[in-house]
Amino acid sequence: MHTRLLLIAAATLATAAGAQTARTADTPAATRAVAAPDRPAADKARDADRKPAAMLAFAGIKPGDKVADLIPGGGYFTRLFAKAVGANGHVYAVVPPAMVARNPKAADGVKAIAAEPGYKNVSVNVAAMSGMAPAGTLDVAWTSQNYHDVYNNMPSAGADLARAVFAALKPGGVFVIVDHAAAAGTGDEAAKPLHRIDPAKVRAQVTAAGFVFEGQSDALANAADTHDKPVFDPALRGKTDQFALKFRKPRG
């Protein structure tokens, strides 16, 4: 009898977990964003690797949210966030001035998005991370494939970024970090040579800033990645093992 009850409980938990996974991968806001007809074909071609519906659902982005896309590159996620938050939300595409100093075109991609008729809820903020948005106003801060480079610039920069995000978020707001995984236990050793970082290192820095670790997604995991090659290796590019970590600013 005891064994039977355990089996039933296990089956119930498995069913609940499966349902949660399905919901997480298919929220209305995420589905609407991915299906937006004005997304460029080049962005859509990357969806199989970047799993945008699962990522937006994991972040919990919903209509009306204020979201900071930190170091947004060409704006792949900026577009998706803009569609997910809708007309009553806002997306800040935040580009550090140092990047623009090195490459004057660094913010051109997101500036072009903000100028399009369907993306009036996007503003481009060329500013230090401490000026990403007014204090206490953000629902979500997001950075994808950048944390290792932030750390590369200066070991304390990751911690500085976490503190800046903490200040910009509302109580209960979320910070999501996606990056290329380094081998467990390597800390920051792979940050420069391989453009990877140990997720444990990220967790330690972010929780030290006051965040509570809420969970992770394995949507971008790749068990075939041996973690010993640079992320730009032609055989691996776009297929790295990536982690997605979610942290929350305490409400009290």
Side-chain angles (χ1 to χ4, degrees):
M1 182 68 175
H2 181 65
T3 301
R4 184 175 175 224
L5 288 172
L6 285 175
L7 289 172
I8 292 171
T12 302
L13 287 171
T15 301
Q20 180 61 47
T21 300
R23 286 197 299 271
T24 300
D26 192 25
T27 64
T31 300
R32 181 176 63 252
V34 174
D38 56 354
R39 291 184 66 217
D43 280 12
K44 293 178 183 179
R46 304 174 70 190
D47 289 352
D49 291 335
R50 305 201 77 173
K51 307 290 191 298
M55 290 294 93
L56 267 67
F58 174 65
I61 295 173
K62 61 189 182 300
D65 276 354
K66 292 181 173 61
V67 178
D69 189 4
L70 308 176
I71 318 178
Y76 173 91
F77 277 109
T78 306
R79 287 183 182 276
L80 290 161
F81 297 154
K83 295 301 183 183
V85 304
N88 294 324
H90 196 82
V91 179
Y92 300 91
V94 186
V95 183
M99 291 187 69
V100 177
R102 289 195 301 270
N103 175 12
K105 296 182 179 181
D108 286 2
V110 284
K111 285 180 178 178
I113 292 171
E116 294 180 25
Y119 295 89
K120 297 301 184 185
N121 59 350
V122 174
S123 60
V124 179
N125 193 357
V126 179
M129 292 295 111
S130 59
M132 67 179 71
T137 61
L138 293 178
D139 296 285
V140 179
W142 166 284
T143 193
S144 178
Q145 301 176 350
N146 293 309
Y147 199 94
H148 70 274
D149 279 330
V150 170
Y151 191 90
N152 281 343
N153 290 334
M154 185 185 301
S156 64
D160 292 342
L161 172 61
R163 286 192 289 268
V165 170
F166 193 91
L169 285 170
K170 298 175 181 177
V174 166
F175 185 20
V176 177
I177 300 171
V178 179
D179 214 331
H180 307 286
T186 57
D188 60 356
E189 294 173 13
K192 283 198 175 186
L194 303 181
H195 288 266
R196 299 171 178 271
I197 193 163
D198 183 348
K201 180 69 176 182
V202 178
R203 281 188 63 169
Q205 283 198 322
V206 176
T207 54
F211 284 95
V212 175
F213 177 66
E214 183 155 295
Q216 63 186 59
S217 169
D218 63 357
L220 299 174
N222 178 10
D225 181 358
T226 55
H227 303 121
D228 57 356
K229 295 181 176 64
V231 301
F232 303 115
D233 185 295
L236 190 62
R237 191 162 189 172
K239 307 292 183 184
T240 56
D241 181 28
Q242 296 180 50
F243 60 85
L245 306 178
K246 179 170 21 176
F247 303 87
R248 192 174 295 277
K249 180 176 179 176
R251 295 182 184 277

